[in-house]
Amino acid sequence: MNTQNETSTLKALIFDVDGTLSDTERDGHRVAFNQAFEEYGIGWNWSVEIYGELLAVTGGKERMKYYVDKFLDQDDVPEGIMQKIPELHQAKTRHYTELLSTGAIPLRPGVERLIEEAKQRGLRLAIATTTTPENVTALLTHTLGADSIEWFDVIAAGDIVPAKKPAPDIYDYALQEMGLGAEECIAFEDSENGIKSSSGANLQTIITINDYTRGHDFTGACIVLDQMGEPEQPFSVINGDAEGASFLDCDLVSKLHKKAITGQPRAELA
Ligand code: XBP
Ligand code: MG
């Protein structure tokens, strides 16, 4: 049986949140943005399709500004809206965390199992996300339980760094807080902006795609999967070599990490 020490020098797993731990964007964040627009009497409603285009920009406040700049005619821009964005975003966060508290947004397949196994093996855990810290706390609390916040050495989130993904800053921050080198960790991401950020921090990255990100460029990923999977719910490999496995566990994560840091072939997606 493989143990962590036999397979690699892997010490920590660093997780993105939105799209990776949970499919939060379409039926979570998007819905909460629309609720905030309604609360403030702003006549905007972001469709599933438009929201996919808006995801090009990370960060909710930044996304709203991008919408005003690139999607609206100047005549349709509500007066004083740019100054209102921080307040509007607070309302959006309130709606989003309320939605999470109903348990409406579950974790993706395999996430809880992988985190539990990593804890048992003594691997350290961290979060590196663009979303607001309250949103991470709410998601973890309402899926894994309130204690789960303590499982993570660092929850790097939101405005804690000035430049959001695709900048590497949030991953650099998480590594610095943990006192680990990039080669001792592996990142889990779902998007092109995400892998740009993790790669920029010199991290190896495992990708699980979702409907919004399946067409993204994941060049350089250790592997690209449709999901982490479960023993009774196998993943599909989109790019890379899963070494015969059908779900992502710590053995496979360690093998992929070792292969990547020793420079063996990995996913190449155009
Ligand atoms: C997700 C984001 C966030 C969320 C919305 O980033 O870009 O902006 O869409 O959350 P990641 P906020 O995948 O890195 O977690 O409105 O709180 O920004
Ligand atoms: Mg993401």
Side-chain angles (χ1 to χ4, degrees), residues 1-60:
M1 197 182 85
N2 282 333
T3 67
Q4 181 202 335
N5 288 338
E6 281 165 355
T7 51
S8 78
T9 58
L10 186 63
K11 295 208 173 80
L13 313 186
I14 312 179
F15 294 93
D16 167 51
V17 174
D18 296 301
T20 300
L21 292 186
S22 173
D23 249 326
T24 49
E25 295 291 7
R26 193 189 70 179
D27 300 326
H29 290 296
R30 184 185 67 89
V31 170
F33 279 112
N34 286 336
Q35 286 171 331
F37 302 151
E38 201 178 328
E39 182 184 328
Y40 275 73
I42 299 164
W44 301 344
N45 192 286
W46 289 351
S47 66
V48 170
E49 200 189 343
I50 289 280
Y51 194 68
E53 292 177 41
L54 294 170
L55 283 172
V57 170
T58 62

Side-chain angles (χ1 to χ4, degrees), residues 177-255:
E177 288 292 301
M178 284 192 294
L180 292 176
E183 71 291 347
E184 298 176 294
C185 307
I186 194 160
F188 295 82
E189 275 287 354
D190 70 303
S191 71
E192 191 168 334
N193 279 330
I195 193 173
K196 278 186 180 155
S197 175
S198 56
S199 301
N202 296 316
L203 283 154
Q204 302 299 334
T205 306
I206 291 174
I207 299 288
T208 46
I209 60 156
N210 57 62
D211 283 345
Y212 275 135
T213 67
R214 63 178 68 248
H216 285 194
D217 181 353
F218 295 117
T219 302
C222 296
I223 197 164
V224 182
L225 304 169
D226 68 332
Q227 57 172 320
M228 291 182 188
E230 295 284 14
E232 67 289 353
Q233 186 181 340
F235 55 45
S236 293
V237 180
I238 293 161
N239 201 289
D241 181 1
E243 313 254 349
S246 64
F247 63 93
L248 193 67
D249 61 5
C250 287
D251 273 344
L252 180 56
V253 171
S254 294
K255 281 183 200 162

